[in-house]
Amino acid sequence: RDDLRSPIVVIMGHVDTGKTKLLDKIRKTNVQGGEAGGITQQIGATFFEKKTLEAQTAHLNETEKFELTVPGMLVIDTPGHESFTNLRSRGSSLCDVAILVVDLMHGLEQQTIESLNMLRSKGTPFVVALNKVDRCYAWKTCADSPIREALDQQAEGTLSEFRSRSTDAKVQLQEQGVNSNLYWEMGDDDWMNSDFVPLVPTSAVTGEGVQDILLLLCQIAQRKLWKQIMWCANLQCTVLEVKQIDGLGTTVDVLVVNGYLREGDRAVFCTLDGPIVTEIRGLLTPPPSREMRVKADYIHHKEVKGALGVKLIGNNLEKVMAGTPVMIVNEDDEEEDIKQEVMSDLTKIQEKLSVDKKGVMVQASTLGALEALLQFLREETQPPIPVSSVGIGAITKRDVTQISIMNEKGCSEFATILAFDVNVEKEAREHANEMSVRIFTADIIYHLFDQFTRFMEELAERRREEAAAVAVFPSICRILPQHIFNQKDPIIVGVEVVEGILKVGT
């Protein structure tokens, strides 16, 4: 129980409930005190050292008397929800515990429910943060104080609004089959009872309740999860993102959950073209300073110990797939076995990524996004949109040429690239104009889909108009004898249309 690794916490919730804001609040509470240290900004993840956690929760801990034994905490901020399922590839469930952020003013929203179901299907323990308490009527701000102290300061009217809103949230959670309670009202049996979820009212703007949530996460980690977060030397490591960085070339951001990574290790990565083995040329973590963007500012490490977010430098990492595992070849390992193991995930995904003969091209930033997008196009859209090829990363001239074949096959509507959250190279865009290929880009799946359906509707409309000249609409008319106005050129008569459609030009 003594040698624990940092628990990995994931923040989830609906758009605009304040996930990132909450993180900012946790990060800033230190920086604003003029103290820059204690927090390392990490790749897609933020690492909180033990002393930061202690400093943050000191005030609350005077009453709680809880001893922290975790070495720190690694918090991952998820965009929306889709990359999430992927982060858990390999049963090495990447995150140990989650924070589900609910907007107290709006209750449960669509993505919140989606996230909830994800967490429940994985059996991940989570805490619900009822965010935006400061929006309650006439709320008196008690910056950064524990939430119970803040609530004691409020007027009766504010308290009753808070109570009714938190009860609403409780009821909505109950509708989803989740028992919850404000965390200080939970008895010991609720704690031991794993299906009870603690609610923590917070405010990301003024900072009430932030201490509570940090302490609560440490408590859950140490009480319920200590078996799961015991440190072990087997490497568990997942690729989070692949990024181009000036001066370093292509770098891969990975999350080391357990074990060691050393400089000079031979690592096996998974790419669309098969496994690659490359030597790790450098391990970088951003410094605990505020400037992330300065190139020389990365700290080089000879080895890192999980759980940490690290940048890897190596050769030909361009094609590495985000969301796949990384493995290390040791002296006594068979390289081929490891290659197969690394690729096992991708083979699963490739079955999912099966493509049609005719269809659009789909490009996404990460593997998780790609899966989500394909599922969306195939299952959620009416009618489903066929996909002829998929890819990850920026759109190049080659992709444009590849999809332009659809023009020759006579289905020009599919000479289209749906790009989700990726860059389009300038050459590719120019080439697309020449080859009459359309590129739709968006950061939100729904927008991408809307753009494409709008385009399909316009196309159908255009085709109707073009066909009007060719199509023959037969009709039978009866001339009404008392309505013959002009017998010679031009003939003007009144008719009754008996059958069919009478059109101009028939």
Side-chain angles (χ1 to χ4, degrees):
R1 250 192 166 169
D2 302 334
D3 191 17
L4 299 178
R5 63 176 170 80
S6 313
I8 298 175
V9 183
V10 133
I11 291 199
M12 312 176 64
H14 192 78
V15 185
D16 287 342
T17 46
K19 301 185 285 290
T20 312
K21 193 98 182 216
L22 204 61
L23 263 188
D24 278 345
K25 194 68 200 173
I26 303 179
R27 287 194 279 242
K28 272 202 203 69
T29 21
N30 275 23
V31 179
Q32 283 168 339
E35 172 205 10
I39 287 188
T40 331
Q41 275 288 321
Q42 265 161 353
I43 304 136
T46 316
F47 185 67
F48 300 112
E49 290 181 331
K50 186 170 178 179
K51 53 174 194 282
T52 310
L53 291 174
E54 281 170 352
Q56 288 270 49
T57 56
H59 190 100
L60 182 63
N61 227 343
E62 289 166 11
T63 52
E64 291 286 316
K65 306 273 189 297
F66 180 72
E67 184 201 351
L68 294 176
T69 55
V70 287
M73 187 188 289
L74 191 67
V75 183
I76 304 174
D77 193 7
T78 62
H81 51 274
E82 15 95 301
S83 41
F84 200 66
T85 17
N86 231 56
L87 280 182
R88 283 218 173 46
S89 65
R90 278 298 198 35
S92 74
S93 58
L94 246 190
C95 87
D96 306 301
V97 51
I99 305 177
L100 187 65
V101 184
V102 177
D103 185 340
L104 187 64
M105 296 296 139
H106 295 153
L108 292 189
E109 291 168 293
Q110 186 193 351
Q111 253 120 356
T112 322
I113 294 174
E114 233 171 42
S115 313
L116 234 180
N117 295 335
M118 267 178 195
L119 289 172
R120 297 214 334 246
S121 64
K122 304 278 184 287
T124 311
F126 58 100
V127 186
V128 175
L130 292 175
N131 203 13
K132 306 195 184 179
V133 278
D134 55 295
R135 298 268 298 279
C136 284
Y137 176 70
W139 179 265
K140 290 196 196 75
T141 301
C142 316
D144 299 333
S145 58
I147 187 69
R148 275 173 285 182
E149 289 183 18
L151 285 172
D152 291 343
Q153 300 299 315
Q154 307 307 327
E156 192 47 50
T158 314
L159 272 178
S160 64
E161 183 190 4
F162 166 74
R163 279 206 197 93
S164 77
R165 284 192 186 274
S166 60
T167 316
D168 288 351
K170 238 196 274 193
V171 171
Q172 285 178 327
L173 280 166
Q174 226 123 29
E175 285 168 10
Q176 297 300 321
V178 176
N179 292 325
S180 59
N181 210 338
L182 292 171
Y183 82 98
W184 60 87
E185 292 174 1
M186 286 173 56
D188 279 341
D189 46 340
D190 290 354
W191 275 111
M192 292 300 107
N193 195 345
S194 57
D195 62 355
F196 253 79
V197 175
L199 299 177
V200 187
T202 57
S203 161
V205 179
T206 50
E208 290 97 344
V210 171
Q211 302 195 10
D212 305 62
I213 210 155
L214 286 176
L215 197 64
L216 200 61
L217 288 171
C218 295
Q219 284 178 332
I220 289 183
Q222 288 174 28
R223 282 181 186 169
K224 286 189 181 173
L225 300 177
W226 58 275
K227 288 196 183 83
Q228 204 176 321
I229 60 171
M230 289 199 322
W231 194 81
C232 70
N234 291 346
L235 180 75
Q236 285 180 320
C237 182
T238 305
V239 180
L240 286 182
E241 272 311 343
V242 182
K243 293 190 184 120
Q244 299 281 348
I245 291 194
D246 308 342
L248 297 175
T250 310
T251 63
V252 179
D253 297 350
V254 298
L255 200 101
V256 185
V257 182
N258 246 330
Y260 288 107
L261 268 185
R262 297 181 180 81
E263 217 174 272
D265 276 350
R266 294 187 52 210
V268 184
F269 292 96
C270 166
T271 70
L272 271 177
D273 311 337
I276 55 169
V277 181
T278 178
E279 188 179 310
I280 298 177
R281 290 214 316 264
L283 296 167
L284 306 179
T285 57
S289 71
R290 297 174 215 173
E291 256 315 286
M292 278 272 307
R293 294 283 158 268
V294 185
K295 282 181 234 160
D297 266 13
Y298 287 107
I299 304 173
H300 282 258
H301 295 270
K302 284 285 170 239
E303 68 168 27
V304 293
K305 174 183 171 180
L308 260 191
V310 202
K311 252 189 186 353
L312 295 185
I313 318 175
N315 297 339
N316 40 13
L317 297 175
E318 293 77 30
K319 290 254 174 111
V320 173
M321 312 271 285
T324 54
V326 181
M327 306 196 84
I328 297 293
V329 184
N330 296 327
E331 274 106 61
D332 44 1
D333 291 343
E334 278 292 323
E335 201 171 289
E336 289 308 310
D337 293 353
I338 290 199
K339 281 186 182 173
Q340 266 173 345
E341 198 171 331
V342 168
M343 295 306 283
S344 66
D345 264 18
L346 190 64
T347 13
K348 280 195 208 109
I349 289 160
Q350 272 170 337
E351 290 162 15
K352 260 197 201 161
L353 303 188
S354 56
V355 290
D356 312 306
K357 288 278 190 309
K358 293 178 178 178
V360 297
M361 179 173 210
V362 175
Q363 285 278 64
S365 50
T366 63
L367 205 55
L370 187 62
E371 284 182 50
L373 193 53
L374 282 177
Q375 185 183 351
F376 186 79
L377 294 179
R378 288 194 180 144
E379 294 171 18
E380 317 235 340
T381 59
Q382 256 12 45
I385 297 173
V387 177
S388 65
S389 65
V390 293
I392 281 187
I395 291 177
T396 57
K397 204 166 154 183
R398 210 182 105 207
D399 298 327
V400 176
T401 316
Q402 186 187 343
I403 194 72
S404 65
I405 304 171
M406 288 295 157
N407 279 330
E408 293 157 27
K409 282 191 181 169
C411 27
S412 55
E413 68 268 34
F414 293 143
T416 305
I417 301 181
L418 299 183
F420 178 60
D421 199 15
V422 292
N423 295 331
V424 182
E425 292 177 7
K426 189 162 165 251
E427 286 180 350
R429 213 172 260 289
E430 290 163 2
H431 191 55
N433 292 340
E434 292 164 22
M435 306 293 286
S436 68
V437 169
R438 281 158 309 278
I439 301 182
F440 294 126
T441 53
D443 303 340
I444 299 175
I445 290 188
Y446 311 103
H447 292 186
L448 201 52
F449 166 62
D450 291 345
Q451 287 178 8
F452 187 67
T453 31
R454 203 173 315 128
F455 161 72
M456 290 295 270
E457 280 161 14
E458 284 169 16
L459 195 81
E461 190 53 44
R462 262 214 318 277
R463 288 193 172 168
R464 270 191 216 110
E465 284 167 17
E466 285 165 11
V470 191
V472 178
F473 294 96
S475 64
I476 300 177
C477 303
R478 183 185 302 129
I479 295 177
L480 304 172
Q482 70 271 43
H483 291 266
I484 299 173
F485 302 116
N486 207 352
Q487 295 181 350
K488 290 201 185 64
D489 205 25
I491 300 174
I492 301 176
V493 290
V495 295
E496 178 189 355
V497 181
V498 184
E499 282 181 32
I501 302 172
L502 185 60
K503 281 204 170 193
V504 177
T506 302

